[in-house]
């Protein structure tokens, strides 16, 4: 029998607001345990929630970008269950009247084009973190994350392959990042995904019994978990067995899914309308204003970069891989840097500098004007590219004036041909052996001589000029054209 | 002059005129507490030293006093959070809970120079109508120590009645200010839902709870409510009542006021003595120029079931946070997490609280939600509509507060349903979010106080207080004090 | 619909994290049954087409600006906890 895999996703995304969803505590990641808490998010008796306006705005923006219907009347509900990461013993979420419904996302994969329907998007609060301490055999609870705003995006069971799932998640991540709604850092848990999966004989239109997989911390894990779980269900059914409806945990090390001990033996969350929060009514003008304010998304940027600047599809993908990089690129171009140069610096030096520091592009402090100036100086030949990289390193962390740095460190190229020619003379005189080697046909010797000249001039000479002068002095025909147009100071 | 004979406003005026010092008032109140609390059990916590220190500080600022209640000693029901002062909800669960923050109501009154004497006994988590479900023992009625003061704000009503402080602030979910006010012969008002911030009020039923004052007369209540009311950015359900300046609008003029008497509120199950006293109160208002309107309120019988379904549902969720992890009672012995929860909650809560949690869990659980919870919310809408209709024909409603006067201690505990049915006249106002007031209007044959209730439309506080003020200009029920209270 | 019985009361107690010894359970079952039976008079009320009223809500949305304010001092937050280690709340094993 041929089997078909049917997948639906529930994706939790932490919103990039400054303060929490229902109280003014910071949402900053990390921080000493239990220092980002107040009576509201720690669930103290008597405290009350008040909705953060930015959470509503971000949820609506996400809904619009995923082509959803935005609810004109939306409300919160309480989901009741006991667990130590949930200090009120209920989560404020949306069941009956979610903020957005009925969306659609187009996907392009090597397997062809497809579309996924979004069932709904709802707003809710995150829970705290539990860490088990084996030394004291106690679980320790940290409530810093309690009340960090989330949206949960629920798809219909429209995926058939892991490729589609990954394509969807990549598009979702990119979209939410460009909207400025979330940073979608999987490693910090700001994008988390539960996968609902069932299998059925190809051609059947009934859904099989599904399992829900949790603890999926990377796209790679998601793809592998899907492959494993689909195989497991097919083997089970193929052998005449049955799939149990259950929650399964992806075991990263063993690359298998295994049943999770359930939070409650039988779940009854007793949802009911949250009496502490009045419903939210949205007018046409509110929604229209957010629709009009939608920024250019990554795919649109890629098309434009290709068309307007002639960048390659690869370069476009690299530059739009993070909104901060795209912002930098656009700023460089705006400030007058040639697009191709800008792209090269971003893909080369900028990414290298970020990775050396273990930084995210969003945390970059480099002023676009500084990089634009460096590119201009190199273009004009006033510094060479290696020096440019040296200057870049010096100003990357956000302080320092490019021109002042070049001046203070005397990095400007020696433009006086006479000075360079004198250094060439001295190098030839000091290293007769290398001269002889070169004349005996060993090209490598020239490199050594160039190095000697550059060292004497402290790296400030144009390497091309040095090369030309050396060749001419060594009697190579056709050499010396660069001398005709010495760089202007 | 016995200071405790004054009303809060009279004492406030005397303080501002320099005739009485704040420390003098504080000492008088603390002495009264010292003398009587052993018998009455209204105070769970007396903050004597704090109060005296605060009195000294307030006395220094008396020349710039910013409110008519500046320096007047008062007390809080023990479900209102006071920073640094334990707040127990009269439960073993919160026996040692000290809030790290003040309720908004506390902040507002403190800013107006209120002087807090301590925290008042009540039914556990405000669940009950007799103040007997307290973990710390029942409150006793100052008019008859063998009787209940009513509940759940029984400590507040008993304290004001007996002169242990000049006013108190309580909470009302289904009558918890009005009914004890009636049983103890004081005046109390539950404001329009939302007009007093609930931030810092330990939740019983969030869509019904409302903070309000208990005082010696309508004017004292108006003065307190003027300070309490107003939107709070920390309570999303709070709003500005378009009243305010209630005190200055107490003219006593009720000419032309249409007072509705719902026939169903005077029918079966009502004590004769109570009926007579409430109808006599109607006559007093009529004599001052009000017009009496007889009307029908046929949906009254649905109020108690709808109320108990909604209140229990919300309570079951609100009280889930008491699990022995962050604060509150933790069982001494337990195996795993589940047992920690179960043992802590089983030991920490009393029987009435458990009953409501189970009832609330029932009406919300799958399979029963539509038939009970959803149906109750619909009944609530029907009741709200019935009020809208009634207020088309009259300006306020006059009803009894309770079917009978204060019950004997122990009488109600075994029969929860009977106790619930006693709330029939008070719960409709909570369901509809309307303001309602209780005022003393006589005594029964055993010398126990009787209360009359006035219910107004949304933001009708001014109308209610003025009608009560008018009534109190012509009667002296509110001036009567129990033995020891020494007011005549 | 399932009437209130001992089995259901057990289930409710489990959901509520309460334990009822045999005698209490019997009394509670009887009381809840009486209360719920009484509540069934609601069935007589015609509510066809009536919107459930869960909020007597303020007019207009109630939102707060996205502004950070200082959090509570950790010592104050933990002060009421029955078991804590100066940094976190402690519970019996709760995670796998």
């Amino acid at each position: 029998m041929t089997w078909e895999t049917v997948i639906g996703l529930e994706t939790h995304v932490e919103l990039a607001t400054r303060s929490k969803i229902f109280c003014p505590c910071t949402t900053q990641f990390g921080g000493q345990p239990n220092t980002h808490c107040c009576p509201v998010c720690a669930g103290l008796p008597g405290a009350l929630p008040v909705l953060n306006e930015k959470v509503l705005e971000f949820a609506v923006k996400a809904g619009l970008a995923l082509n959803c219907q935005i609810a004109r009347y939306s409300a919160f509900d309480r989901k009741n269950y006991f667990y130590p990461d949930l200090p009120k013993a209920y989560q404020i979420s949306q069941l009956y009247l979610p903020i957005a419904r009925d969306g659609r996302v187009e996907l392009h994969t090597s397997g062809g084009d497809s579309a996924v329907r979004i069932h709904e998007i709802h707003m809710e609060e995150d829970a705290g973190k539990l860490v088990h301490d084996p030394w004291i055999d106690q679980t320790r609870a940290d409530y810093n994350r309690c009340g960090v705003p989330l949206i949960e995006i629920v798809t219909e069971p429209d995926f058939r392959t892991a490729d589609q799932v990954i394509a969807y998640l990549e598009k979702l991540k990119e979209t939410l990042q460009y909207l400025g709604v979330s940073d979608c850092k999987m490693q910090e848990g700001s994008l988390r995904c539960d996968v609902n999966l069932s299998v059925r004989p190809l051609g059947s239109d009934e859904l099989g019994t599904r399992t829900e997989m949790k603890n999926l911390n990377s796209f790679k894990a998601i793809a592998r978990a899907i492959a494993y779980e689909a195989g497991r269900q097919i083997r089970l059914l193929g052998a005449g067995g049955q799939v149990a409806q259950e929650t399964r945990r992806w075991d990263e090390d063993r690359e298998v899914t295994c049943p999770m001990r359930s939070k409650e033996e039988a779940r009854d969350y007793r949802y009911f309308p949250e009496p502490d929060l009045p419903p939210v009514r949205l007018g046409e003008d509110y929604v229209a204003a957010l629709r009009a304010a939608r920024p250019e998304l990554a795919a649109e940027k890629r098309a434009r970069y290709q068309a307007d600047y002639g960048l390659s599809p690869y370069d476009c993908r690299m530059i739009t891989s993070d909104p901060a990089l795209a912002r930098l690129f656009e700023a460089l171009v705006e400030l007058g840097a040639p697009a191709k140069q800008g792209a090269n610096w971003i893909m080369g030096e900028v990414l290298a500098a970020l990775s050396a520091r273990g930084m995210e592009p969003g945390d970059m402090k480099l002023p676009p004007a500084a990089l634009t100036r460096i590119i201009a100086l190199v273009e004009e030949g006033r510094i060479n590219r290696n020096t440019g990289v040296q200057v870049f390193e010096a100003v990357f962390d956000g302080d320092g004036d490019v021109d002042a740095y070049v001046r203070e460190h005397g990095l400007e190229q020696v433009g006086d041909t006479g000075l360079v020619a004198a250094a060439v003379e001295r190098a030839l005189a000091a290293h007769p052996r290398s001269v002889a080697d070169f004349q005996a046909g060993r090209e490598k010797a020239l490199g050594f001589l160039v190095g000697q000249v550059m060292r004497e001039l402290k790296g400030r000479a144009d390497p091309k000029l040095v090369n030309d002068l050396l060749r001419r002095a060594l009697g190579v025909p056709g050499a010396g054209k660069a001398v005709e147009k010495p760089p202007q100071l | 002059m016995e200071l405790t004979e004054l009303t809060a406003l009279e004492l406030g005026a005397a303080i501002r005129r320099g005739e009485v010092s704040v420390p003098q008032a504080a000492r008088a109140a603390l002495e009264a507490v010292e003398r009587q609390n052993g018998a009455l059990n209204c105070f769970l916590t007396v903050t004597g030293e704090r109060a005296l220190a605060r009195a000294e500080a307030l006395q220094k600022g008396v020349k710039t006093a910013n409110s008519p209640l500046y320096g007047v000693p008062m007390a809080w029901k023990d479900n209102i959070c006071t920073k640094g002062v334990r707040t127990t909800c009269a439960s073993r669960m919160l026996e040692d809970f000290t809030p790290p923050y003040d309720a908004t109501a506390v902040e507002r009154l403190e800013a107006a120079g209120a002087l807090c004497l301590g925290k008042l006994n009540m039914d556990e988590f405000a669940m009950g109508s007799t103040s007997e479900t307290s973990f710390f023992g029942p409150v006793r009625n100052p008019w008859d120590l063998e009787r209940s003061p009513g509940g759940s704000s029984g400590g507040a009503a008993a304290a004001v009645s007996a002169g242990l402080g000049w006013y108190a602030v309580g909470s009302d979910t289904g009558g918890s200010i009005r009914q004890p006010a009636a049983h103890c012969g004081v005046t109390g008002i539950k404001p329009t839902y939302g007009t007093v911030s609930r931030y810092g009020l330990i939740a019983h039923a969030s869509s019904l709870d409302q903070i309000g004052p208990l005082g010696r007369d309508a004017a004292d209540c108006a003065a307190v409510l003027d300070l309490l009311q107003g939107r709070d950015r920390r309570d999303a359900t709070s709003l500005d009542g378009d009243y305010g300046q209630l005190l200055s609008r107490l003219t006593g003029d009720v000419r032309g006021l249409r007072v509705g008497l719902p026939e169903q509120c005077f029918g079966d199950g009502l004590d004769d003595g109570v009926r007579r006293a409430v109808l006599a109160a109607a006559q007093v208002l009529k004599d001052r120029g009000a017009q009496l309107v007889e009307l029908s309120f046929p949906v009254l019988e649905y109020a108690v079931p709808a109320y108990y379904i909604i209140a229990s549902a919300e309570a079951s969720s609100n009280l889930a946070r008491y699990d022995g992890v962050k604060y509150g009672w933790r069982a001494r012995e337990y195996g795993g997490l589940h047992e920690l929860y179960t043992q802590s909650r089983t030991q920490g809560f009393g029987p009435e609280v458990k009953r409501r949690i189970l009832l609330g869990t029932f009406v919300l659980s799958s399979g029963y939600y539509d038939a009970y919870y959803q149906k109750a919310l619909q009944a609530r809408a029907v009741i709200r509509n019935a009020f809208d209709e009634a207020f088309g024909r009259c300006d306020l409603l006059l009803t009894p507060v309770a079917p009978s006067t204060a019950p004997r201690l122990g009488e109600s505990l075994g029969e929860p349903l009977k106790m619930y049915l006693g709330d029939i006249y008070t719960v409709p106002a909570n369901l509809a979010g309307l303001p309602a007031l209780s005022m003393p209007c006589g005594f029964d044959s055993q010398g126990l106080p009787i209360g009359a209730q006035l219910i107004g439309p949304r933001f009708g506080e001014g109308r209610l207080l003025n009608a009560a003020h008018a009534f109190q200009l012509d009667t002296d029920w509110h001036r009567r004090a129990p033995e020891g209270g020494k007011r005549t | 619909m399932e009437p209130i019985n001992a089995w259901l009361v057990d289930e409710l107690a489990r959901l509520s994290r309460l334990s009822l010894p045999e005698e209490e359970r019997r009394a509670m079952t009887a009381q809840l049954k009486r209360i719920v039976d009484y509540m069934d008079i609601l069935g007589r009320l015609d509510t066809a087409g009536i919107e459930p009223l869960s909020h007597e809500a303020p007019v207009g949305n109630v939102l707060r600006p996205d502004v950070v304010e200082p959090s509570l001092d950790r010592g104050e937050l933990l002060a009421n906890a029955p078991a804590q280690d100066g940094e976190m709340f402690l519970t019996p094993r709760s995670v796998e």
Side-chain angles (χ1 to χ4, degrees), chain B residues 37 40-44 74-80 118-123 131 139-140 142 149-172 176-182 184-188 212-216 487:
Chain B
N37 196 48
L40 297 175
N41 198 28
C42 5
F43 276 81
L44 293 179
M74 54 78 66
W76 298 93
K77 187 178 182 180
D78 210 20
N79 58 351
I80 297 172
K119 307 296 293 286
L120 299 165
N121 204 352
M122 55 188 276
D123 279 301
S131 300
V139 182
R140 289 169 184 273
S152 67
S153 310
V160 174
S161 168
L164 315 186
W166 279 264
Y167 67 96
V169 177
S171 68
D172 190 315
S176 283
I177 287 175
R178 290 160 286 159
Q179 186 256 30
C184 292
V186 302
T187 305
L214 295 93
R216 294 184 181 170
R487 281 186 290 144

Side-chain angles (χ1 to χ4, degrees), chain A residues 153-216:
Chain A
I153 304 162
V154 183
T155 74
E156 299 290 351
D158 287 351
F159 302 97
R160 296 293 174 268
T161 67
D163 277 356
Q164 289 172 345
V165 169
I166 302 305
Y168 164 81
L169 287 171
E170 277 172 351
K171 186 158 183 182
L172 184 67
K173 180 176 174 198
E174 194 178 84
T175 304
L176 297 177
Q177 284 178 336
Y178 273 81
L179 290 172
V181 152
S182 172
D183 55 24
C184 294
K185 291 180 188 167
M186 276 193 111
Q187 67 280 12
E188 289 183 9
S190 63
L191 186 150
R192 309 195 286 268
C193 193
D194 299 340
V195 177
N196 294 310
L197 185 147
S198 62
V199 298
R200 63 184 174 193
L202 190 63
S204 160
D205 45 8
E206 271 174 50
L207 288 171
T209 305
R210 65 184 166 87
T211 59
E212 182 183 2
M213 286 184 281
K214 290 186 180 291
N215 196 35
L216 300 163

Side-chain angles (χ1 to χ4, degrees), chain B residues 429-446:
Chain B
N430 299 81
L431 287 169
L434 303 178
L437 173 150
S438 168
M439 59 185 187
C441 68
F443 290 85
D444 71 359
S445 55
Q446 296 163 90

Side-chain angles (χ1 to χ4, degrees), chain A residues 126-337:
Chain A
D126 208 345
K129 272 190 182 151
L130 301 177
V131 191
H132 192 72
D133 182 342
W135 291 99
I136 53 173
D137 194 28
Q138 293 272 302
T139 293
R140 307 169 79 217
D142 171 11
Y143 296 147
N144 281 353
R145 202 179 63 183
C146 288
V148 167
L150 297 175
I151 50 174
E152 181 175 346
I153 304 162
V154 183
T155 74
E156 299 290 351
D158 287 351
F159 302 97
R160 296 293 174 268
T161 67
D163 277 356
Q164 289 172 345
V165 169
I166 302 305
Y168 164 81
L169 287 171
E170 277 172 351
K171 186 158 183 182
L172 184 67
K173 180 176 174 198
E174 194 178 84
T175 304
L176 297 177
Q177 284 178 336
Y178 273 81
L179 290 172
V181 152
S182 172
D183 55 24
C184 294
K185 291 180 188 167
M186 276 193 111
Q187 67 280 12
E188 289 183 9
S190 63
L191 186 150
R192 309 195 286 268
C193 193
D194 299 340
V195 177
N196 294 310
L197 185 147
S198 62
V199 298
R200 63 184 174 193
L202 190 63
S204 160
D205 45 8
E206 271 174 50
L207 288 171
T209 305
R210 65 184 166 87
T211 59
E212 182 183 2
M213 286 184 281
K214 290 186 180 291
N215 196 35
L216 300 163
N217 297 323
S218 65
F219 288 177
K220 194 182 89 183
I222 291 168
R224 292 192 182 180
I226 288 172
Y228 174 85
E229 181 61 16
R232 187 188 71 88
Q233 292 189 14
I234 291 168
R235 276 195 306 279
L236 240 155
L237 294 173
Q242 280 191 330
V243 174
Q245 179 157 355
E246 63 189 359
T247 302
R248 299 177 69 86
R249 197 170 62 87
W250 172 243
D251 186 326
E252 189 81 53
D253 300 328
R254 291 162 54 222
E255 301 220 327
V256 296
T257 64
C258 38
M260 267 172 92
R261 201 173 55 194
S262 72
K263 281 182 186 173
E264 284 189 18
E265 302 86 273
R267 292 192 189 182
D268 185 346
Y269 291 125
R270 289 154 286 136
Y271 278 98
F272 73 104
E274 166 57 279
D276 289 328
L277 289 167
V280 177
R281 292 178 182 82
L282 295 182
E284 287 309 319
D285 38 344
Y286 177 88
V287 177
L290 290 185
R291 187 177 276 129
R294 197 200 72 169
E296 189 182 32
L297 297 179
E300 295 157 338
K301 284 191 190 295
R302 284 192 289 271
R304 183 165 64 86
Y305 295 171
Q306 236 174 303
D308 291 3
Y309 308 125
L311 298 188
S312 72
Y314 175 81
D315 290 2
C316 292
R317 266 204 310 284
M318 288 292 281
I319 290 166
T320 56
S321 65
D322 190 291
L325 296 180
R327 268 199 304 279
L328 175 61
F329 173 72
E330 290 177 13
L332 296 179
V333 173
E334 174 81 10
L335 290 166

Side-chain angles (χ1 to χ4, degrees), chain A residues 382 384 387 390 409-427 448-467 469-470:
Chain A
R382 290 174 56 183
N384 62 48
T387 307
Q390 187 193 332
H409 293 75
L411 295 177
E412 202 132 22
Q413 290 195 130
V414 177
D416 183 340
T417 315
L419 226 65
V420 180
V424 166
E425 288 301 318
R426 281 193 295 279
F448 173 76
L449 290 168
V450 171
Q452 293 305 309
V453 176
M454 290 300 278
R455 197 164 72 178
E456 191 182 330
L457 296 173
K458 300 196 171 74
R460 288 179 296 144
D462 178 358
K464 193 161 181 313
L465 174 66
V466 173
N467 221 298
L469 288 177
L470 269 170

Side-chain angles (χ1 to χ4, degrees), chain A residues 39-40 42-50 78 80 82-84 87-90 96 143 268 270-273 275-278, chain B residues 81 97 100-101 198-202 206 233-237 317-318 320-322 326-327 337 341 345 361 364-366 369 373:
Chain A
V40 178
L44 291 193
L48 297 170
V50 183
R78 289 189 185 175
N80 296 286
F82 288 91
Y83 207 57
K88 299 189 298 299
Y90 57 82
Y96 296 110
Y143 296 147
D268 185 346
R270 289 154 286 136
Y271 278 98
F272 73 104
D276 289 328
L277 289 167
Chain B
C81 286
F97 176 66
Y101 74 104
R198 290 184 296 117
Y199 189 80
L201 168 66
I202 299 182
S206 315
R233 66 187 182 97
R234 290 174 298 189
D235 176 358
T237 61
S317 173
N318 285 330
R321 68 186 64 190
Y322 306 106
K326 300 142 306 239
Y327 37 73
L337 179 69
Y341 284 165
R345 290 168 61 77
T361 303
L364 289 178
S365 55
S366 67
Y369 182 93
Y373 185 70

Side-chain angles (χ1 to χ4, degrees), chain B residues 389-465:
Chain B
E389 207 173 302
F391 289 122
R393 300 188 50 209
C394 64
D395 301 310
L396 50 79
L397 296 172
L398 175 67
T399 77
V401 176
S404 50
T405 52
R408 290 188 183 284
L409 289 171
E411 201 173 79
S412 315
L413 283 182
E415 292 181 86
L417 180 58
K418 191 178 166 205
M419 184 172 79
Y420 299 172
L421 290 172
D423 298 339
I424 183 153
Y425 306 124
T426 48
V427 294
N430 299 81
L431 287 169
L434 303 178
L437 173 150
S438 168
M439 59 185 187
C441 68
F443 290 85
D444 71 359
S445 55
Q446 296 163 90
L448 297 170
I450 297 170
Q453 175 176 238
L454 298 171
I455 305 173
R458 238 157 105 84
F459 309 127
E461 279 81 346
R463 204 181 285 173
L464 296 184
L465 287 161

